Amino acid sequence: MFAPLEAPMKDFAWGSIGAISAFRGQVVSSAIEAEQWFGGHPRSGTRISRGARETSFSGWLDETGIEFPLLAKLLAATQPLSIQVHPSDKQAREGFAAEEKRVPLQVSEARNYSDPSAKPELIICLSPQFRALVGFITVEMLAERLVRWEKAGLDVFSLRTAKKLLDLPLREGIEWALSGDSDVAGCVAGLSTWSLADLDPSMNGEVRDEHHVMSTLATAHPGDPGILFGLLMHHVSLAQGEALFVDAGVVHAYLEGMGLEVMLPSDNVIRAGLTTKYIDRDEFLSVASLEPISSPPFVVPQEQGDSLLYSGFPAGFRVYKLSQGGSLSLLESHAIVFSDGVRGTVSGAESSVDVTPGQVFFVTASEAKIRFEGEGALWIVCPEGNQP
C-alpha cells in the first residue's frame, strides 16, 4: 500500500520563509516554515489519505495494528536553534516520571520531558549547505582557535578571559559559561563585537567560516551566554547529502539550512541557551556529555545495491536514498518516503503510485520491494527491521 501523508507546518521563530513549501513543490508560502513532522507522535498532526478518506495517522496505526516507532521531519532554519541535548532512555524515563509527579503534562507549565523516550537523531542535508554546532572541541583545538581569532582581531579582554578555559576541565568551563557572571558577560560582548565587525581581507577561509558562525549567534541572540558555546564547539558545514548522527548526551545547535531529520518519536529537549524557551541549566549539565571529541559524529552513506544507506549508528532506524532506475527491498519494514524533486513512478509488489516533487507517503511492508522509475531521488525512512 502507498498512502499520501500530510502534516501541519510548525512556525517556530527560527524557521525559513517558504523553503519547505518550495521543496514540496507547493505554492511558496510567505509565512515562517520551520518544521513538518511525519509520524505517529501525538504532536505531529500527521494525516494519512486512503482513497477519499483522510484520517489521523496515529489513529490509523492504532486501528490497523501497524507499528511505526519513528518520527521524520523536514526542518528549515534561517536562525540558530537552541543549545540543546537529548536524554538517554534511562534519563528520559526517570526525568519524565519525576516531572509527571511535579508538573503533569495536562498542566501548562515549563518542563524538559514530554515523554519517557530517548531521542537519538540523524540529520541529512537537503540544501546546498547545512551549518551546525555539534560536540565540544579538544583543548588543543581551542588553543588553535584562539590563536586564529587573536590574529583576526579579537580584543585582549575576551582573549584573556577565554584563555582561562584552557586550564579548566570542560565541565567546569561549561559551568562557568552558564553562570552568567560579569566575566562571562564581558567575554560574550567582546566575541559579539568582534563577530559583527568586518574581517581583514587577508584572513583565511577557516577563520572566516568561524567568524560567520559567531556573527550568526550574536545577531540572533544578542548578549546570550550561549554565544560562548560557539567558541567551545565543533563548527560543522554539511553539503547536500552529508549527514550527522546526534546521540543522547551530544550537545548541539542547528544553525541554518534545510534537512531531513529522523529520530525516535520523542520531543524531549533540554536547553541551555540561544532561546526564549524554557532553560534548565542544572538538568542540561546532568544530561550532557561534557567530554571533548576530536571529530563531529558524521555518518558516511554506503552504497547498497541501487541505493545509498545511512546506518551504522546506535538507533533503531535506517535511511536510504534511492535514485532513478533503482530498486530497494523493504526487508519486511514499513517506511515513510520523501520525494526529492521526483517525477516518476514508484511501484511495489501490490500497487504503484505516480510521484511528483515533495510528496510524502507511507509504504507498508507488504509492498516488499520499491522500484523507482523517473527523475530525482527518494528518501526512504525505515525502522531497523531485518538486515541483509
Side-chain angles (χ1 to χ4, degrees):
M1 183 192 84
F2 296 95
L5 298 178
E6 268 304 336
M9 194 71 68
K10 297 189 182 296
D11 60 352
F12 306 134
W14 46 260
S16 71
I17 301 294
I20 294 177
S21 54
F23 175 84
R24 299 207 57 205
Q26 300 169 349
V27 174
V28 176
S29 170
S30 59
I32 292 177
E33 299 179 343
E35 294 180 343
Q36 274 188 306
W37 298 12
F38 295 90
H41 191 282
R43 287 189 59 212
S44 76
T46 306
R47 299 187 68 78
I48 185 169
S49 295
R50 297 292 297 121
R53 180 185 177 221
E54 184 182 83
T55 189
S56 157
F57 184 55
S58 59
W60 180 82
L61 291 174
D62 290 340
E63 181 183 309
T64 59
I66 290 176
E67 294 186 4
F68 192 79
L70 299 179
L71 184 60
K73 301 180 182 180
L74 293 173
L75 177 151
T78 56
Q79 296 183 40
L81 281 68
S82 59
I83 298 290
Q84 61 185 257
V85 69
H86 307 308
S88 67
D89 270 325
K90 181 174 184 293
Q91 290 166 335
R93 288 195 304 271
E94 293 177 352
F96 180 74
E99 286 191 345
E100 277 291 271
K101 288 181 179 177
R102 189 173 69 251
V103 186
L105 278 180
Q106 293 80 1
V107 178
S108 178
E109 191 170 322
R111 54 185 289 170
N112 298 304
Y113 299 94
S114 61
D115 55 71
S117 174
K119 190 189 174 188
E121 61 190 36
L122 176 74
I123 183 79
I124 302 173
C125 176
L126 297 178
S127 51
Q129 185 181 52
F130 189 94
R131 291 182 183 268
L133 301 175
V134 183
F136 295 104
I137 59 177
T138 65
V139 68
E140 294 81 11
M141 292 174 176
L142 177 57
E144 292 169 0
R145 179 173 283 175
L146 287 172
V147 168
R148 288 194 298 275
W149 292 11
E150 181 175 16
K151 291 178 179 177
L154 183 60
D155 70 278
V156 173
F157 173 81
S158 298
L159 278 167
R160 185 174 66 246
T161 306
K163 284 179 179 178
K164 294 178 183 178
L165 294 166
L166 297 173
D167 300 320
L168 292 176
L170 181 58
R171 174 173 286 276
E172 291 183 24
I174 299 301
E175 289 173 346
W176 170 77
L178 294 176
S179 70
D181 73 13
S182 59
D183 279 355
V184 171
C187 191
V188 166
L191 288 168
S192 300
T193 298
W194 170 74
S195 71
L196 295 171
D198 292 335
L199 273 185
D200 187 304
S202 66
M203 292 294 103
N204 65 23
E206 184 173 17
V207 77
R208 285 194 169 279
D209 286 344
E210 292 172 334
H211 186 264
H212 171 77
V213 167
M214 296 303 291
S215 67
T216 299
L217 303 182
T219 300
H221 297 281
D224 193 304
I227 291 169
L228 268 174
F229 282 75
L231 170 65
L232 297 170
M233 294 178 68
H234 288 277
H235 296 191
V236 174
S237 178
L238 301 178
Q240 202 162 28
E242 294 182 335
L244 285 164
F245 176 70
V246 179
D247 205 352
V250 176
V251 178
H252 61 288
Y254 300 147
L255 305 181
E256 54 186 333
M258 181 167 175
L260 172 62
E261 194 179 18
V262 182
M263 64 197 68
L264 298 187
S266 171
D267 194 32
N268 289 325
V269 181
I270 299 118
R271 301 175 179 88
L274 303 182
T275 184
T276 57
K277 294 182 179 180
Y278 179 59
I279 288 175
D280 189 334
R281 294 181 174 89
D282 290 338
E283 190 68 7
F284 177 86
L285 290 166
S286 173
V287 170
S289 174
L290 300 180
E291 295 291 335
I293 55 176
S294 58
S295 176
F298 296 111
V299 175
V300 179
Q302 305 296 316
E303 288 189 15
Q304 187 173 79
D306 297 326
S307 65
L308 289 176
L309 170 62
Y310 295 75
S311 67
F313 39 78
F317 57 83
R318 60 193 191 279
V319 178
Y320 297 92
K321 182 181 182 182
L322 184 63
S323 299
Q324 57 184 348
S327 63
L328 172 71
S329 172
L330 289 175
L331 303 174
E332 301 181 8
S333 293
H334 310 292
I336 290 179
V337 178
F338 293 80
S339 158
D340 191 346
V342 167
R343 294 188 185 277
T345 301
V346 179
S347 58
E350 297 181 336
S351 57
S352 65
V353 61
D354 292 331
V355 181
T356 56
Q359 282 188 300
V360 183
F361 51 94
F362 189 68
V363 184
T364 55
S366 59
E367 294 292 353
K369 190 173 186 176
I370 293 177
R371 297 173 185 84
F372 169 40
E373 295 292 341
E375 301 174 349
L378 299 173
W379 295 99
I380 302 168
V381 176
C382 305
E384 197 62 47
N386 300 315
Q387 294 296 301

